[in-house]
Amino acid sequence: MQIIILLIPFILLLINYFTIAILSVTIIFLLMRIYSAYICKAQFNLSTFVYIFYIPELITGPFRDYPTWSKKETRKLFSESLINVLNSLILILLSGYFYSKTIFFYDNIFYTSVITYLVLYAQFHSMSKIANSISMFLGKTEVVNFNNPLMATSINDFWSRWHISLGVFAKKYINQPLTFYVSKKIKNKNLPYVLSIFITFLFIGLWHNVSYNYLIFGIYFGIIVILERHFLDRLFSKIANIRLQKLLGILYAQSAHIIGFSFVVEYIQKIIIHP
């Protein structure tokens, strides 16, 4: 079953040319939820049906696996949920206004990527909060989807802070099973890690959009994370001053991410909400 899941993004890459690319992210999200329910041997009942087709999270995330969905929490008050939704909508509108007023200041791909990245962060974070607010009103647990990614000190650290729920899914259902499977077949210590990271980031890239740009996006980040483990982490660890080490790590991580982001910035600009 894991192998089938790994092949899905590549199959959708072909489907992309038959005009349904706009649906690809939702389709992959739907398949992820079906797979999570299947792995947990969920009974086919109303709760499972609602989980699979839960529109707020299918559209924006965060992704939650079936065990998380099954947990029952005290429902949040409607007034509290409404305030959280309104605050998030205000942030989306303000960030969109900021984007419209600043994006044309300077015609440079790095500048464009920085502005688009910051606005995407504000809007995606807000959309996840809206989905969470609706879910908590229905008695579901909150799924933390962002943990201050602007303070990440490496690309590996960044992807553990950005879109956390997707990262958890990729680690649990792709990276770890693939590492275990390859380790049994190949005795080399490094190769299972390299293959699992590379394929995981290909999945993450194509999850965002089934296109060659996002294919390159996934390859780029896979290579960076592999290089960090084998070279860059050791290089940064040689810096004796901890504060300087952290500062340089943040500058490196954000710069490396923005470079990768520049491969797909044109796609992101199409989904930014702005006047």
Side-chain angles (χ1 to χ4, degrees), residues 249-263:
I250 291 172
L251 291 174
Y252 149 72
Q254 298 307 315
S255 298
H257 176 70
I258 290 167
I259 291 171
F261 196 80
S262 66
F263 296 132

Side-chain angles (χ1 to χ4, degrees), residues 71-95:
K71 292 179 182 178
K72 293 183 179 180
E73 298 286 334
T74 303
R75 291 178 56 178
K76 294 291 184 181
L77 295 174
F78 175 76
S79 57
E80 183 179 351
S81 299
L82 181 60
I83 290 172
N84 289 334
V85 169
L86 291 176
N87 287 337
S88 298
L89 286 173
I90 289 170
L91 180 56
I92 290 172
L93 294 175
L94 289 175
S95 62

Side-chain angles (χ1 to χ4, degrees), residues 22 62 81 151 183 190 261 273:
I22 194 170
S81 299
M151 297 302 293
S183 297
N190 293 321
F261 196 80
I273 299 171

Side-chain angles (χ1 to χ4, degrees), residues 80-227:
E80 183 179 351
S81 299
L82 181 60
I83 290 172
N84 289 334
V85 169
L86 291 176
N87 287 337
S88 298
L89 286 173
I90 289 170
L91 180 56
I92 290 172
L93 294 175
L94 289 175
S95 62
Y97 180 78
F98 168 80
Y99 174 85
S100 65
K101 295 298 181 182
T102 57
I103 193 64
F104 299 111
F105 276 175
Y106 190 48
D107 186 16
N108 175 275
I109 186 61
F110 193 80
Y111 171 82
T112 302
S113 296
V114 169
I115 297 298
T116 308
Y117 163 45
L118 293 175
V119 174
L120 174 68
Y121 176 36
Q123 295 196 354
F124 189 17
H125 189 15
S126 298
M127 290 176 181
S128 294
K129 289 189 71 173
I130 290 173
N132 260 323
S133 297
I134 296 171
S135 299
M136 289 189 290
F137 172 69
L138 297 175
K140 302 301 178 183
T141 56
E142 180 179 9
V143 178
V144 178
N145 215 24
F146 292 91
N147 181 23
N148 202 1
L150 297 178
M151 297 302 293
T153 55
S154 68
I155 289 300
N156 191 34
D157 185 29
F158 177 88
W159 284 104
S160 69
R161 295 167 176 261
W162 176 280
H163 206 340
I164 297 170
S165 59
L166 175 63
V168 169
F169 177 90
K171 182 177 181 179
K172 183 176 180 180
Y173 294 114
I174 298 177
N175 181 268
Q176 291 178 343
L178 193 58
T179 301
F180 177 75
Y181 177 79
V182 176
S183 297
K184 290 176 64 177
K185 300 294 182 181
I186 302 174
K187 299 305 179 183
N188 185 296
K189 292 182 179 180
N190 293 321
L191 191 56
Y193 173 81
V194 170
L195 285 176
S196 62
I197 286 294
F198 196 69
I199 292 175
T200 299
F201 275 94
L202 284 180
F203 168 81
I204 289 175
L206 294 174
W207 177 90
H208 285 85
N209 188 285
V210 185
S211 66
Y212 285 112
N213 292 70
Y214 271 101
L215 183 66
I216 295 171
F217 175 92
I219 292 171
Y220 168 82
F221 281 112
I223 291 172
I224 292 292
V225 170
I226 291 168
L227 289 176

